[in-house]
Amino acid sequence: EPMKMHILSGGRLRMRSGTYFADCPKEQTEEFPCVCVLLRHRNGNVLFDTGCHPSVETDAAARWGGVAKAIVPVHASGDNVLGGLKNVGLGPDDIDVVVNSHLHMDHCGCNGFFKKAQFMIHARELEVARDSNIEGKGYYKADWDHSMPIEAVEGEKDIFDDNRIVLLPLPGHTQGTMGALVELDKKGSTLIAADALSVKSTLETNYIPRNNWNNDQFQSSLDQIRKLQSDGTDVICGHDEAQWKELRKGAEFYD
């Protein structure tokens, strides 16, 4: 049974263009997709990132507080990871493993729905998120602090020990940012980069996003991504609108 990769929407955010692109007027904003990925492996269904919580579609401030002024959800009702899974014919209980690239609210907002899943999150990321001083600064316990089991990932982690889905630490955006290196039969090697590479142009322009924890670590993760790319790996970015338009989505898949 070949593995299938489905690209799902985790919502849509209006933000300052200058977060990701050079030479933008300070007040210029644009829309960015939140990219989540379903991997249907013969040993289980893996969901990489869970996007924004559905409640932000009607009242973002109630969940995100002041952050909702700078990062504004603009997606239609139901345009979230639960709606995306439904289009593929799956419900939350069909997900066996949830990987969070990191614990910002647009990457783990729907965690609470996946009651039967094993969660995989980087150890450093959990440490940061558990610090009460960070609560409300892009991290919200309501998103990720649930009763489901969490495996704290340290280094690389081969989920099914068959080289098909390998989690890679790519710190810099946050302390525990991870990507997933995916091996598909036809498509070959794909890196799901999340916010280690939010937009593709970062590779060309080297304009470092303005929302990083540590730019030096971000840069060395970027070098790792560049190397993978030069070896023929396709890279799926976390928030690239131009790339989003080109990707197969929903029930259409890559194999």
Side-chain angles (χ1 to χ4, degrees):
E1 183 70 352
M3 184 162 68
K4 295 183 175 78
M5 177 172 79
H6 294 262
I7 311 292
L8 306 178
S9 170
R12 212 169 157 73
L13 306 172
R14 176 162 282 283
M15 286 164 56
R16 272 195 180 159
S17 308
T19 306
Y20 295 124
F21 303 114
D23 308 323
C24 300
K26 203 172 162 65
E27 61 289 342
Q28 184 184 316
T29 63
E30 59 195 271
E31 291 185 14
F32 296 92
C34 301
V35 181
C36 302
V37 182
L38 167 68
L39 299 160
R40 304 183 75 173
H41 184 286
R42 60 193 166 84
N43 295 349
N45 291 320
V46 178
L47 181 61
F48 183 94
D49 279 344
T50 69
C52 303
H53 189 273
S55 68
V56 303
E57 292 155 22
T58 46
D59 187 356
R63 194 164 180 101
W64 294 354
V67 171
K69 288 190 184 69
I71 300 176
V72 184
V74 291
H75 50 282
S77 171
D79 179 20
N80 53 48
V81 97
L82 302 171
L85 287 169
K86 207 171 171 177
N87 292 338
V88 179
L90 298 180
D93 286 353
D94 296 312
I95 300 302
D96 302 291
V97 177
V98 172
V99 176
N100 292 127
S101 63
H102 61 301
L103 292 176
H104 281 160
M105 73 285 181
D106 53 326
H107 294 264
C108 66
C110 282
N111 278 19
F113 293 98
F114 299 97
K115 305 282 184 219
K116 296 194 172 162
Q118 162 78 49
F119 286 76
M120 295 184 182
I121 304 168
H122 196 278
R124 293 291 300 130
E125 196 66 13
L126 284 164
E127 228 172 285
V128 170
R130 285 179 180 137
D131 175 357
S132 55
N133 296 318
I134 204 95
E135 180 68 15
K137 299 172 184 161
Y139 290 91
Y140 303 87
K141 286 199 161 68
D143 285 335
W144 63 268
D145 194 7
H146 303 290
S147 59
M148 290 79 82
I150 296 177
E151 178 177 340
V153 178
E154 295 276 359
E156 291 188 9
K157 161 88 187 166
D158 185 342
I159 294 182
F160 296 116
D161 290 321
D162 60 358
N163 230 13
R164 289 301 191 132
I165 309 172
V166 180
L167 305 182
L168 301 179
L170 293 168
H173 172 66
T174 67
Q175 296 192 37
T177 298
M178 297 192 294
L181 194 55
V182 176
E183 242 357 284
L184 292 162
D185 290 342
K186 288 189 205 146
K187 193 181 188 303
S189 174
T190 300
L191 175 71
I192 309 168
D195 284 344
L197 187 68
S198 298
V199 295
K200 225 165 199 162
S201 68
T202 304
L203 287 176
E204 285 87 68
T205 63
N206 236 9
Y207 173 85
I208 300 293
R210 294 291 166 257
N211 58 358
N212 286 338
W213 159 70
N214 182 304
N215 286 340
D216 290 337
Q217 289 202 18
F218 182 85
Q219 194 65 60
S220 79
S221 293
L222 210 54
D223 292 340
Q224 244 179 295
I225 294 172
R226 280 205 180 94
K227 173 148 185 20
L228 285 167
Q229 197 186 38
S230 68
D231 292 342
T233 297
D234 250 359
V235 182
I236 294 178
C237 302
H239 298 285
D240 191 309
E241 172 70 354
Q243 183 183 55
W244 176 250
K245 288 189 173 120
E246 303 295 314
L247 290 168
R248 292 176 206 166
K249 289 181 280 286
E252 280 192 80
F253 57 84
Y254 295 91
D255 58 2

